[in-house]
Amino acid sequence: MSDLLSSLNPEQRAAITLPDESALILAGAGSGKTRVLTTRIAWLIQSERVRPAEVLAVTFTNKAAREMMTRINTLLPINLRGIWIGTFHGLCNRMLRAHYQQAELPQTFQILDSADQLSALKRLLKSLNIDGEKYPPKQVQYFINQAKEQGLRPAGVDANDPFSQQCVELYAAYHTQCQREGVVDFAELLLRSYELLARNTEISAHYQARFKHILVDEFQDTNTLQYAWLKQLAGLSGAVFAVGDDDQSIYAFRGANVGNMRDFEREFRVRHLIRLEQNYRSHGHILDAANALISNNTRRLGKNLRTDAGCGERVRIVGAATDAQEALWLVSEVRTLSQKGVPLDQIAVLYRSNAQSRALEHTLVSTGIPYRVTGGLRFFERAEIKHALAYLRLIENADDDTAFMRAVNFPARGIGARTLELLNDTAHQRNSSLHAAATQLAGKAAAHLNRFIQLLEALRAQSQGLRLPDAVQHVIDASGLIEHYRAEREGQDRIENLRELVNAALAFVQEEHDEIISALNDETTPLSAFLAHASLEAGDNQAHAGQAAVQLMTVHAAKGLEFTAVFITGLEEGLFPHQNSILDASGLEEERRLMYVAMTRARAHLYLSFAQSRMLHGQSRSNLCSRFLDELPEQALKHQALNRTSEMSRAPRHGAPRTARASWTQQASSQSVTRRIQSEFGARQSKTAFGFYIGQTVSHAVFGNGTITAFEGNGADTRAQVNFGRHGAKWLALSIAKLQPATSR
DNA sequence: CTAATCTCAGTTTTT
DNA sequence: CTGAGATTAG
């Protein structure tokens, strides 16, 4: 027991050894959060306060769940049979499989991922003859998911405007469609599981009695429904150990409710609130800067990180003339770091939005620095994989219309829009699945359709006796997918991926025998379990590990990771903070938390950079540098001057250096702190256009006085973004709008 | 029915 | 500038 608790600080130890009641742990960035969580579980079991089967731990990502399992196993090398560790969705799936009848689901129910859900909705809109322009499928999807995440069924949604009323009806129709098809979307997994517990006192009592300890990771990211589910599961007696950091809440945009932390404190009668404020990751200056930044947010639960490490290096701030030069500077710094002995995979390049990666990648490729982009398409989301899975899904459940639509004419077998329209109508009239309608229709209407139905029959029959990997192999061959891709120019990669799918099935079957995982899904078939696995765990973003490479990713993707050196790029108003979040205070605070997360990823070296002009949407635009730079304490910073001449002479193409330099007029920089920062390292006043400059106060005949915040475009097309205060921000073409320099008050 | 061409919007993302 | 989705020509 003592070794479990050795080398922990007093707060960590206190958290780990708390009594059997609910507790809230405010765990700052780099404070050993995962360690506390896993050690708590190991300690509870080792001291025989609970058996493994009485513990439930929930995370947001599969990666986190796996890591937790591994670390507990390292701390406590005993059989953990019966412990429930997984994602919210994974655990709900598990529960629904065990009680599928009470949950009113078919035993073989399948899970729709977001893309599947969207195509299901598009199909629904079409069959109801609803204008997709007026009701964009994406918005309907958002509406439905939001309702579900509030725990609401169609009858419970308040709809006061025509749009919402229509959405409610679509929600109801969509629900009927899902029920008929035997499919559930992600939000449905949670809601169904919640309802199962809420309505069925026996089942609810069973789980409440069983799970004496419930542990929640990243609690600040829970949404309303997840919180309600936890409450239902814990009952009155369960001890919920919630670990989170309100300062790292960056998912409000998808429904996360930081307010859950306050509610939790009250509703679970939390007597133990422990703050983990000792940071084991970042050097002093980095932490000082991050602390100063986040202190600009209001409504915090309050927390300040400290470190025993020295001040370390100052945070470096760099302004470049163009995005291309920013990238070149980055490359030279990466080289320097590498020469100093920092491994490439310990260097992260972060950005606010994915679109920014392109320019960086371009430069990295041309300078020969190996890099790896995290994010983007994952294995099970690839088109060819989804096609193969669609055939497998149809074997399992012929009524799965989403899978049917995906497979029916891919590879092309002469079943076009016309036939499918007819099929859709037939199915809608008879209230049957597409497959059922197709069997009726096949004889008379289309021989092609008939052949497809027969193909499905054959696949089902032939895969019957096969083991899962063999069945997968058979399906990708007999469906014609391999043949189809063989004929395609760039089909080779896709064929490789399909072969990889067979390997994935093989690995999955083997893992099923693994003791840790085997407790799951005793009742379902291997195929059904594999399909659920494919939906719930979309697979790695990037398959090729191997060689050490610089890590490129969005700030969101970097959460939970740490690196020796971190570059945060594109620190410009409109980019970071993002344009769409600048308007309201809560959006801005989330952007600030995002910046905080980004900064606290760094151990020893932190670089913040911006460009005065950048290519965006095919146009060059100029922005002020980010307001977040103004919020950092001067003593923790080092403004690094770009050696303009040498950098520019090295610039290969792009980067019209001459015009850029010529335009750096020396303006008096009395108004803005931002400009002061810019002038300190020689970047000076931002770009001018038509004699106007960024930050200038101008007056407009209609909107009155405003401040220029950005330029975009060139020549006669040049437009300026002007913030007119209560009139909002407007883009005005300088050749048209008659702007006047405002006279000072 | 398919392939080529046009239009248009364009954060962040896990399950 | 890009990629998705719709529209139109073959």
Side-chain angles (χ1 to χ4, degrees):
Chain A
M1 163 122 26
S2 54
D3 22 314
L4 269 187
L5 301 180
S6 64
S7 77
L8 289 162
N9 70 35
E11 292 81 28
Q12 290 175 327
R13 195 172 309 205
I16 288 161
T17 58
L18 282 173
D20 298 354
E21 4 176 326
S22 290
L24 180 59
I25 314 301
L26 286 179
S31 66
K33 173 192 68 141
T34 311
R35 184 166 183 209
V36 165
L37 211 42
T38 50
T39 313
R40 164 79 170 169
I41 293 173
W43 180 81
L44 285 170
I45 295 171
Q46 196 185 56
S47 59
E48 293 180 348
R49 281 167 172 81
V50 286
R51 291 175 290 116
E54 293 167 333
V55 173
L56 180 146
V58 60
T59 62
F60 276 86
T61 66
N62 292 297
K63 193 177 157 202
R66 271 195 305 269
E67 185 178 337
M68 197 180 286
M69 189 59 116
T70 314
R71 284 172 72 161
I72 295 170
N73 228 287
T74 313
L75 291 169
L76 205 65
I78 61 158
N79 187 349
L80 292 170
R81 184 174 281 277
I83 197 169
W84 275 37
I85 293 183
T87 62
F88 278 100
H89 295 84
L91 297 177
C92 287
N93 176 49
R94 189 169 176 173
M95 196 178 279
L96 291 175
R97 299 272 170 204
H99 309 280
Y100 65 92
Q101 283 153 325
Q102 292 95 325
E104 291 165 42
L105 286 169
Q107 186 169 11
T108 58
F109 76 84
Q110 289 304 316
I111 301 161
L112 301 183
D113 65 19
S114 315
D116 293 337
Q117 183 190 29
L118 190 63
S119 60
L121 277 167
K122 283 179 184 167
R123 222 175 49 240
L124 179 74
L125 288 168
K126 208 177 230 170
S127 78
L128 294 177
N129 270 321
I130 288 171
D131 185 6
E133 296 273 283
K134 218 171 154 198
Y135 298 95
K138 279 237 170 78
Q139 278 183 43
V140 178
Q141 179 182 33
Y142 176 79
F143 183 95
I144 292 173
N145 288 339
Q146 223 202 15
K148 288 188 180 184
E149 280 162 14
Q150 306 282 115
L152 299 175
R153 287 304 181 185
V157 181
D158 259 339
N160 301 312
D161 56 294
F163 181 83
S164 306
Q165 280 155 7
Q166 177 68 273
C167 282
V168 170
E169 285 189 24
L170 287 169
Y171 179 6
Y174 167 73
H175 187 64
T176 312
Q177 175 177 292
C178 287
Q179 274 301 102
R180 184 172 52 63
E181 294 182 28
V183 295
V184 295
D185 57 48
F186 286 139
E188 186 72 22
L189 277 174
L190 286 158
L191 182 51
R192 211 45 99 79
S193 173
Y194 167 77
E195 287 173 346
L196 174 76
L197 293 170
R199 287 176 190 166
N200 198 314
T201 38
E202 227 170 87
I203 294 176
S204 160
H206 163 76
Y207 285 111
Q208 287 176 3
R210 172 175 172 176
F211 295 123
K212 303 204 164 54
H213 284 269
I214 296 173
L215 301 97
V216 193
D217 192 15
E218 306 277 17
F219 191 76
Q220 78 283 352
D221 288 338
T222 52
N223 64 33
T224 306
L225 180 55
Q226 286 158 342
Y227 180 70
W229 183 80
L230 285 169
K231 221 155 76 172
Q232 188 59 243
L233 200 59
L236 292 169
S237 57
V240 177
F241 187 85
V243 181
D245 181 0
D246 53 324
D247 290 333
Q248 292 187 69
S249 160
I250 55 174
Y251 285 109
F253 75 92
R254 66 170 196 218
N257 177 16
V258 205
N260 284 346
M261 296 184 88
R262 280 252 153 82
D263 291 348
F264 176 74
E265 242 189 298
R266 196 181 66 246
E267 295 181 348
F268 285 73
R269 299 197 182 75
V270 169
R271 293 195 302 139
H272 305 282
L273 190 157
I274 293 180
R275 288 185 166 78
L276 304 180
E277 297 177 301
Q278 177 77 36
N279 175 293
Y280 295 98
R281 181 185 298 153
S282 308
H283 291 168
H285 282 318
I286 294 174
L287 215 51
D288 288 348
N291 278 335
L293 177 94
I294 200 66
S295 70
N296 287 288
N297 271 5
T298 57
R299 296 188 294 272
R300 295 174 63 213
L301 290 177
K303 176 170 50 52
N304 233 6
L305 293 179
R306 52 172 195 275
T307 178
D308 288 342
C311 293
E313 204 175 273
R314 285 172 191 249
V315 177
R316 274 193 266 180
I317 300 195
V318 169
T322 65
D323 49 349
Q325 283 182 38
E326 181 189 35
L328 280 172
W329 158 79
L330 188 139
V331 163
S332 75
E333 289 296 339
V334 166
R335 288 211 174 105
T336 309
L337 284 167
S338 187
Q339 278 157 18
K340 276 199 239 163
V342 179
L344 285 185
D345 57 9
Q346 274 304 315
I347 300 173
V349 178
L350 309 183
Y351 35 81
R352 176 63 179 83
S353 63
N354 282 307
Q356 290 164 251
S357 79
R358 221 164 247 289
L360 294 166
E361 284 183 69
H362 178 83
T363 310
L364 288 167
V365 168
S366 65
T367 52
I369 292 185
Y371 68 92
R372 186 151 61 239
V373 183
T374 301
L377 212 53
R378 280 143 353 137
F379 182 70
F380 287 108
E381 289 170 355
R382 294 174 169 282
E384 62 275 20
I385 299 302
K386 295 217 82 170
H387 281 124
L389 291 175
Y391 285 93
L392 291 166
R393 272 161 63 171
L394 287 170
I395 289 175
E396 187 74 12
N397 170 14
D399 292 340
D400 186 334
D401 287 354
T402 305
F404 187 94
M405 284 301 283
R406 184 178 275 279
V408 68
N409 196 36
F410 196 97
R413 37 177 82 86
I415 304 173
R418 187 75 190 283
T419 312
L420 291 176
E421 211 169 293
L422 183 66
L423 183 63
N424 233 319
D425 290 348
T426 313
H428 201 237
Q429 276 164 29
R430 305 185 188 187
N431 192 29
S432 74
S433 69
L434 294 172
H435 179 269
T439 38
Q440 307 263 310
L441 213 65
K444 25 195 169 159
H448 295 303
L449 208 50
N450 203 19
R451 287 236 305 278
F452 177 62
I453 298 296
Q454 280 167 8
L455 171 67
L456 289 183
E457 291 301 328
L459 287 177
R460 188 181 358 260
Q462 289 154 357
S463 60
Q464 208 69 92
L466 299 178
R467 284 165 43 86
L468 179 64
D470 300 325
V472 175
Q473 178 71 61
H474 178 69
V475 164
I476 63 174
D477 286 330
S479 62
L481 283 171
I482 296 276
E483 208 184 323
H484 173 265
Y485 287 124
R486 227 196 296 277
E488 242 182 24
R489 277 178 292 109
E490 290 169 37
Q492 203 47 48
D493 280 356
R494 295 184 188 271
I495 292 174
E496 301 261 307
N497 286 329
L498 287 171
R499 303 232 179 280
E500 195 54 43
L501 183 65
V502 179
N503 286 335
L506 197 63
F508 182 76
V509 174
Q510 282 164 355
E511 262 186 24
E512 284 284 281
H513 295 298
D514 202 308
E515 250 185 82
I516 303 172
I517 300 163
S518 66
L520 205 121
N521 295 331
D522 340 280
E523 293 200 30
T524 46
T525 64
L527 176 55
S528 180
F530 181 62
L531 290 171
H533 166 81
S535 297
L536 289 173
E537 184 162 1
D540 283 334
N541 301 84
Q542 217 66 28
H544 318 286
Q547 181 189 26
V550 174
Q551 309 283 307
L552 266 65
M553 65 189 88
T554 64
V555 179
H556 282 92
K559 188 175 166 199
L561 306 177
E562 64 176 54
F563 304 91
T564 302
V566 170
F567 292 82
I568 309 175
T569 62
L571 281 164
E572 294 135 45
E573 287 290 296
L575 252 177
F576 198 177
H578 192 273
Q579 192 64 55
N580 301 358
S581 306
I582 283 181
L583 305 161
D584 72 317
S586 68
L588 200 56
E589 294 213 344
E590 180 145 318
E591 295 286 315
R592 191 176 283 113
R593 290 194 293 270
L594 205 44
M595 179 71 182
Y596 175 77
V597 168
M599 293 175 74
T600 52
R601 298 309 96 198
R603 274 195 285 263
H605 314 279
L606 178 60
Y607 302 80
L608 313 178
S609 67
F610 62 92
Q612 294 187 341
S613 100
R614 148 181 330 268
M615 289 298 283
L616 206 67
H617 307 325
Q619 280 188 313
S620 127
R621 59 177 285 174
S622 313
N623 289 306
L624 284 171
C625 72
S626 173
R627 69 188 70 187
F628 296 148
L629 295 176
D630 290 348
E631 300 175 1
L632 307 177
E634 206 51 54
Q635 66 275 11
L637 308 180
K638 182 180 176 201
H639 296 283
Q640 188 180 330
L642 262 193
N643 184 343
R644 294 210 302 271
T645 21
S646 68
E647 284 298 325
M648 281 171 188
S649 59
R650 263 196 270 155
R653 312 154 259 282
H654 303 320
R658 295 240 307 240
T659 49
R661 189 166 6 158
S663 69
W664 290 346
T665 50
Q666 300 264 348
Q667 298 284 342
S669 58
S670 52
Q671 302 100 319
S672 159
V673 200
T674 303
R675 236 175 291 135
R676 176 180 58 74
I677 286 193
Q678 290 188 3
S679 64
E680 272 175 29
F681 54 87
R684 309 291 169 228
Q685 182 56 57
S686 297
K687 193 171 166 180
T688 62
F690 283 61
F692 296 105
Y693 59 92
I694 286 181
Q696 186 178 16
T697 305
V698 293
S699 82
H700 182 272
V702 180
F703 304 123
N705 276 10
T707 312
I708 296 181
T709 51
F711 290 122
E712 185 176 275
N714 284 307
D717 291 335
T718 308
R719 301 185 302 146
Q721 188 184 47
V722 188
N723 187 355
F724 288 107
R726 71 192 170 86
H727 290 291
K730 316 253 180 226
W731 280 102
L732 302 168
L734 288 176
S735 53
I736 298 168
K738 297 195 169 45
L739 292 179
Q740 299 291 327
T743 44
S744 55
R745 285 166 282 141

